[in-house]
Amino acid sequence: MAPRPYYDDQGCALPFDQVMQLEKIDDGTFRSVTKAYSPTGGENGTYGGHVYAQAVWAAAQTVDDGFLIHNVTGWFTLGGRPSEHFVYSVNKVRDGYNYCTRSVTVTQAAEKGTMFTCTCSFKRDETSSADYQDTCDIRTRFREVLKGKEDEPMEHEAAPSQDSASFRETYLPQHPDHFNPIAGLHLRKADMRKFNDPRAPIDRRQLTFYTLRGSLPLPTAPYPPPLQGAFKLTREANLHACAHLFASGRNSLFIIPNHLGRAREFTRMASLSHTVIFHVGIRDLTMTPEPRVPHPNAVPTLFEDGPLPLCNLEGNSGGDRDGRKWFVQESWLTRAAGGRGLHTSRMWDYESGTHLATTLQDGLIRFRPETKL
């Protein structure tokens, strides 16, 4: 049986929990249910963030309650096929009291070999007297590109299926009926030209806002977790973290040629490895439910019948006018040489300014021989 499509016949995109749904084969083997996002809309190539996040969710099925993903590095070895299921094989590396480690190998057509592998580290929640981070007021630093949309990230354009010049300038004009929404999250791309144009490539930035589609199981018991006193992490806390992982690599490598001003001069691009390090616990990673309020700028979410989710629970008030809680990824080019490029980002809670995670992606990117910087 083919994987389930990521949007239905009415054009509604699946919520995140359905995108990540797994079928258990045995205690260490799991299979995807939903088709991975295909940026081209065809049958070649899948969004790497799907297999990256779902590999962690598969690994989370093998750890005890109370452990939350805090570090994952993955290597992409073969391109994904949207028409085929992913099969996740989880290996137990170590179970300690505070930390546990898993490795995951992923295949599609078995005869083709491993297409992705990763190492995941989970840890127990703990408090610390030391909590330090760089401060960045996104609204102030990027005010010229956020003006008029500071409180409504959904007013930015949807992140494109593929953030390349050829897709924007050639493919879309030739295919005006193009419809290929990404499921799981709402992702919006800020137009950064006013910020980036006067700056050198190394100082340019891209802001991508993201918020949950649908709702997820509660990450703690009780919920919300008390500011003082004990609470228990559920296994589903990792599903909340996986939503951030899913967002972390979206259109990431295209930033390199775009920020270099050579958007049409690359000949080959592919992810090689991707690392995400979470700096916070579940209090800051929780994805609050999406309100069932249609937005004129957004592809609707396929909500299942049932009671409405409770939005803006205690400790999670705020958000946009409809009650959506937004996060933002600040991305930039760090290095390009030797047929490769390095994408770096910080992921923030847009409202509180908490630095949630740091990402590092090494990618294959080749430019035409005549390209000069």
Side-chain angles (χ1 to χ4, degrees), residues 228-247:
Q228 301 292 332
F231 63 90
K232 180 181 178 182
L233 279 178
T234 66
R235 178 171 289 127
E236 286 72 22
N238 287 286
L239 192 55
H240 290 251
C242 285
H244 298 275
L245 298 177
F246 187 82

PDB file of all heavy atoms in Angstrom, residues 228-247:
ATOM      1  N   GLN A 228       6.911  25.260  40.310  1.00  0.00           N
ATOM      2  CA  GLN A 228       7.585  24.637  41.443  1.00  0.00           C
ATOM      3  C   GLN A 228       6.962  23.263  41.659  1.00  0.00           C
ATOM      4  O   GLN A 228       5.752  23.102  41.564  1.00  0.00           O
ATOM      5  CB  GLN A 228       7.419  25.485  42.710  1.00  0.00           C
ATOM      6  CG  GLN A 228       7.970  26.904  42.591  1.00  0.00           C
ATOM      7  CD  GLN A 228       9.482  26.938  42.483  1.00  0.00           C
ATOM      8  OE1 GLN A 228      10.162  26.038  42.985  1.00  0.00           O
ATOM      9  NE2 GLN A 228      10.012  27.966  41.841  1.00  0.00           N
ATOM     10  N   GLY A 229       7.785  22.278  41.916  1.00  0.00           N
ATOM     11  CA  GLY A 229       7.253  20.948  42.157  1.00  0.00           C
ATOM     12  C   GLY A 229       7.517  20.015  40.990  1.00  0.00           C
ATOM     13  O   GLY A 229       7.946  20.421  39.905  1.00  0.00           O
ATOM     14  N   ALA A 230       7.233  18.751  41.219  1.00  0.00           N
ATOM     15  CA  ALA A 230       7.580  17.714  40.255  1.00  0.00           C
ATOM     16  C   ALA A 230       6.523  17.587  39.162  1.00  0.00           C
ATOM     17  O   ALA A 230       5.346  17.882  39.358  1.00  0.00           O
ATOM     18  CB  ALA A 230       7.736  16.377  40.979  1.00  0.00           C
ATOM     19  N   PHE A 231       6.976  17.164  37.996  1.00  0.00           N
ATOM     20  CA  PHE A 231       6.082  16.780  36.914  1.00  0.00           C
ATOM     21  C   PHE A 231       6.768  15.675  36.118  1.00  0.00           C
ATOM     22  O   PHE A 231       7.982  15.472  36.218  1.00  0.00           O
ATOM     23  CB  PHE A 231       5.735  17.972  36.008  1.00  0.00           C
ATOM     24  CG  PHE A 231       6.912  18.573  35.283  1.00  0.00           C
ATOM     25  CD1 PHE A 231       7.288  18.120  34.025  1.00  0.00           C
ATOM     26  CD2 PHE A 231       7.645  19.600  35.860  1.00  0.00           C
ATOM     27  CE1 PHE A 231       8.372  18.677  33.353  1.00  0.00           C
ATOM     28  CE2 PHE A 231       8.733  20.163  35.200  1.00  0.00           C
ATOM     29  CZ  PHE A 231       9.097  19.696  33.941  1.00  0.00           C
ATOM     30  N   LYS A 232       5.995  14.972  35.330  1.00  0.00           N
ATOM     31  CA  LYS A 232       6.511  13.840  34.580  1.00  0.00           C
ATOM     32  C   LYS A 232       6.463  14.137  33.088  1.00  0.00           C
ATOM     33  O   LYS A 232       5.444  14.597  32.573  1.00  0.00           O
ATOM     34  CB  LYS A 232       5.680  12.588  34.884  1.00  0.00           C
ATOM     35  CG  LYS A 232       6.135  11.342  34.141  1.00  0.00           C
ATOM     36  CD  LYS A 232       5.242  10.158  34.481  1.00  0.00           C
ATOM     37  CE  LYS A 232       5.666   8.903  33.710  1.00  0.00           C
ATOM     38  NZ  LYS A 232       4.759   7.753  34.001  1.00  0.00           N
ATOM     39  N   LEU A 233       7.580  13.885  32.415  1.00  0.00           N
ATOM     40  CA  LEU A 233       7.605  13.996  30.961  1.00  0.00           C
ATOM     41  C   LEU A 233       6.964  12.760  30.350  1.00  0.00           C
ATOM     42  O   LEU A 233       7.291  11.630  30.718  1.00  0.00           O
ATOM     43  CB  LEU A 233       9.041  14.093  30.448  1.00  0.00           C
ATOM     44  CG  LEU A 233       9.766  15.432  30.486  1.00  0.00           C
ATOM     45  CD1 LEU A 233      11.186  15.248  29.972  1.00  0.00           C
ATOM     46  CD2 LEU A 233       9.044  16.463  29.647  1.00  0.00           C
ATOM     47  N   THR A 234       6.065  12.959  29.408  1.00  0.00           N
ATOM     48  CA  THR A 234       5.512  11.834  28.665  1.00  0.00           C
ATOM     49  C   THR A 234       6.397  11.556  27.449  1.00  0.00           C
ATOM     50  O   THR A 234       7.200  12.399  27.037  1.00  0.00           O
ATOM     51  CB  THR A 234       4.086  12.144  28.187  1.00  0.00           C
ATOM     52  OG1 THR A 234       4.141  13.212  27.222  1.00  0.00           O
ATOM     53  CG2 THR A 234       3.199  12.565  29.351  1.00  0.00           C
ATOM     54  N   ARG A 235       6.237  10.379  26.867  1.00  0.00           N
ATOM     55  CA  ARG A 235       6.979  10.087  25.640  1.00  0.00           C
ATOM     56  C   ARG A 235       6.608  11.081  24.542  1.00  0.00           C
ATOM     57  O   ARG A 235       7.433  11.452  23.704  1.00  0.00           O
ATOM     58  CB  ARG A 235       6.690   8.658  25.180  1.00  0.00           C
ATOM     59  CG  ARG A 235       7.393   8.298  23.863  1.00  0.00           C
ATOM     60  CD  ARG A 235       7.279   6.828  23.531  1.00  0.00           C
ATOM     61  NE  ARG A 235       8.094   6.030  24.425  1.00  0.00           N
ATOM     62  CZ  ARG A 235       7.644   4.997  25.121  1.00  0.00           C
ATOM     63  NH1 ARG A 235       6.379   4.652  25.042  1.00  0.00           N
ATOM     64  NH2 ARG A 235       8.454   4.306  25.909  1.00  0.00           N
ATOM     65  N   GLU A 236       5.345  11.540  24.569  1.00  0.00           N
ATOM     66  CA  GLU A 236       4.874  12.464  23.532  1.00  0.00           C
ATOM     67  C   GLU A 236       5.535  13.835  23.613  1.00  0.00           C
ATOM     68  O   GLU A 236       5.407  14.630  22.675  1.00  0.00           O
ATOM     69  CB  GLU A 236       3.353  12.603  23.616  1.00  0.00           C
ATOM     70  CG  GLU A 236       2.582  11.405  23.098  1.00  0.00           C
ATOM     71  CD  GLU A 236       2.664  10.205  24.029  1.00  0.00           C
ATOM     72  OE1 GLU A 236       2.939  10.406  25.237  1.00  0.00           O
ATOM     73  OE2 GLU A 236       2.459   9.067  23.556  1.00  0.00           O
ATOM     74  N   ALA A 237       6.249  14.116  24.710  1.00  0.00           N
ATOM     75  CA  ALA A 237       7.026  15.361  24.747  1.00  0.00           C
ATOM     76  C   ALA A 237       7.985  15.414  23.564  1.00  0.00           C
ATOM     77  O   ALA A 237       8.260  16.484  23.009  1.00  0.00           O
ATOM     78  CB  ALA A 237       7.799  15.456  26.064  1.00  0.00           C
ATOM     79  N   ASN A 238       8.484  14.250  23.158  1.00  0.00           N
ATOM     80  CA  ASN A 238       9.408  14.213  22.026  1.00  0.00           C
ATOM     81  C   ASN A 238       8.736  14.566  20.709  1.00  0.00           C
ATOM     82  O   ASN A 238       9.400  15.041  19.780  1.00  0.00           O
ATOM     83  CB  ASN A 238      10.055  12.826  21.936  1.00  0.00           C
ATOM     84  CG  ASN A 238      11.079  12.610  23.026  1.00  0.00           C
ATOM     85  OD1 ASN A 238      12.176  13.154  22.977  1.00  0.00           O
ATOM     86  ND2 ASN A 238      10.713  11.819  24.037  1.00  0.00           N
ATOM     87  N   LEU A 239       7.428  14.357  20.611  1.00  0.00           N
ATOM     88  CA  LEU A 239       6.723  14.740  19.388  1.00  0.00           C
ATOM     89  C   LEU A 239       6.691  16.258  19.252  1.00  0.00           C
ATOM     90  O   LEU A 239       6.789  16.795  18.142  1.00  0.00           O
ATOM     91  CB  LEU A 239       5.308  14.158  19.400  1.00  0.00           C
ATOM     92  CG  LEU A 239       4.524  14.208  18.089  1.00  0.00           C
ATOM     93  CD1 LEU A 239       5.290  13.537  16.953  1.00  0.00           C
ATOM     94  CD2 LEU A 239       3.156  13.555  18.268  1.00  0.00           C
ATOM     95  N   HIS A 240       6.577  16.957  20.374  1.00  0.00           N
ATOM     96  CA  HIS A 240       6.645  18.423  20.350  1.00  0.00           C
ATOM     97  C   HIS A 240       8.025  18.872  19.865  1.00  0.00           C
ATOM     98  O   HIS A 240       8.136  19.781  19.033  1.00  0.00           O
ATOM     99  CB  HIS A 240       6.365  18.985  21.744  1.00  0.00           C
ATOM    100  CG  HIS A 240       4.947  18.823  22.193  1.00  0.00           C
ATOM    101  ND1 HIS A 240       4.069  19.875  22.294  1.00  0.00           N
ATOM    102  CD2 HIS A 240       4.247  17.716  22.570  1.00  0.00           C
ATOM    103  CE1 HIS A 240       2.889  19.440  22.716  1.00  0.00           C
ATOM    104  NE2 HIS A 240       2.975  18.135  22.896  1.00  0.00           N
ATOM    105  N   ALA A 241       9.075  18.236  20.383  1.00  0.00           N
ATOM    106  CA  ALA A 241      10.431  18.582  19.942  1.00  0.00           C
ATOM    107  C   ALA A 241      10.625  18.266  18.463  1.00  0.00           C
ATOM    108  O   ALA A 241      11.307  19.005  17.738  1.00  0.00           O
ATOM    109  CB  ALA A 241      11.460  17.837  20.787  1.00  0.00           C
ATOM    110  N   CYS A 242      10.015  17.175  17.996  1.00  0.00           N
ATOM    111  CA  CYS A 242      10.166  16.785  16.591  1.00  0.00           C
ATOM    112  C   CYS A 242       9.572  17.821  15.643  1.00  0.00           C
ATOM    113  O   CYS A 242      10.015  17.944  14.494  1.00  0.00           O
ATOM    114  CB  CYS A 242       9.527  15.423  16.349  1.00  0.00           C
ATOM    115  SG  CYS A 242      10.497  14.035  16.988  1.00  0.00           S
ATOM    116  N   ALA A 243       8.574  18.572  16.102  1.00  0.00           N
ATOM    117  CA  ALA A 243       8.017  19.624  15.253  1.00  0.00           C
ATOM    118  C   ALA A 243       9.072  20.687  14.956  1.00  0.00           C
ATOM    119  O   ALA A 243       9.148  21.221  13.845  1.00  0.00           O
ATOM    120  CB  ALA A 243       6.794  20.246  15.919  1.00  0.00           C
ATOM    121  N   HIS A 244       9.912  21.005  15.942  1.00  0.00           N
ATOM    122  CA  HIS A 244      11.008  21.950  15.714  1.00  0.00           C
ATOM    123  C   HIS A 244      12.055  21.340  14.777  1.00  0.00           C
ATOM    124  O   HIS A 244      12.607  22.035  13.917  1.00  0.00           O
ATOM    125  CB  HIS A 244      11.653  22.335  17.038  1.00  0.00           C
ATOM    126  CG  HIS A 244      10.725  23.029  17.990  1.00  0.00           C
ATOM    127  ND1 HIS A 244      10.491  24.389  17.947  1.00  0.00           N
ATOM    128  CD2 HIS A 244       9.962  22.547  19.011  1.00  0.00           C
ATOM    129  CE1 HIS A 244       9.629  24.720  18.900  1.00  0.00           C
ATOM    130  NE2 HIS A 244       9.296  23.618  19.561  1.00  0.00           N
ATOM    131  N   LEU A 245      12.323  20.050  14.936  1.00  0.00           N
ATOM    132  CA  LEU A 245      13.268  19.381  14.039  1.00  0.00           C
ATOM    133  C   LEU A 245      12.758  19.403  12.605  1.00  0.00           C
ATOM    134  O   LEU A 245      13.526  19.595  11.654  1.00  0.00           O
ATOM    135  CB  LEU A 245      13.486  17.936  14.491  1.00  0.00           C
ATOM    136  CG  LEU A 245      14.092  17.733  15.878  1.00  0.00           C
ATOM    137  CD1 LEU A 245      14.183  16.242  16.197  1.00  0.00           C
ATOM    138  CD2 LEU A 245      15.463  18.387  15.980  1.00  0.00           C
ATOM    139  N   PHE A 246      11.464  19.194  12.440  1.00  0.00           N
ATOM    140  CA  PHE A 246      10.855  19.183  11.113  1.00  0.00           C
ATOM    141  C   PHE A 246      11.046  20.538  10.423  1.00  0.00           C
ATOM    142  O   PHE A 246      11.294  20.613   9.218  1.00  0.00           O
ATOM    143  CB  PHE A 246       9.368  18.855  11.249  1.00  0.00           C
ATOM    144  CG  PHE A 246       8.641  18.650   9.954  1.00  0.00           C
ATOM    145  CD1 PHE A 246       8.694  17.438   9.288  1.00  0.00           C
ATOM    146  CD2 PHE A 246       7.870  19.667   9.410  1.00  0.00           C
ATOM    147  CE1 PHE A 246       8.005  17.241   8.094  1.00  0.00           C
ATOM    148  CE2 PHE A 246       7.172  19.485   8.220  1.00  0.00           C
ATOM    149  CZ  PHE A 246       7.241  18.268   7.565  1.00  0.00           C
ATOM    150  N   ALA A 247      10.949  21.620  11.200  1.00  0.00           N
ATOM    151  CA  ALA A 247      11.103  22.964  10.631  1.00  0.00           C
ATOM    152  C   ALA A 247      12.554  23.324  10.353  1.00  0.00           C
ATOM    153  O   ALA A 247      12.835  24.185   9.512  1.00  0.00           O
ATOM    154  CB  ALA A 247      10.505  23.998  11.590  1.00  0.00           C
TER     155      ALA A 247
END
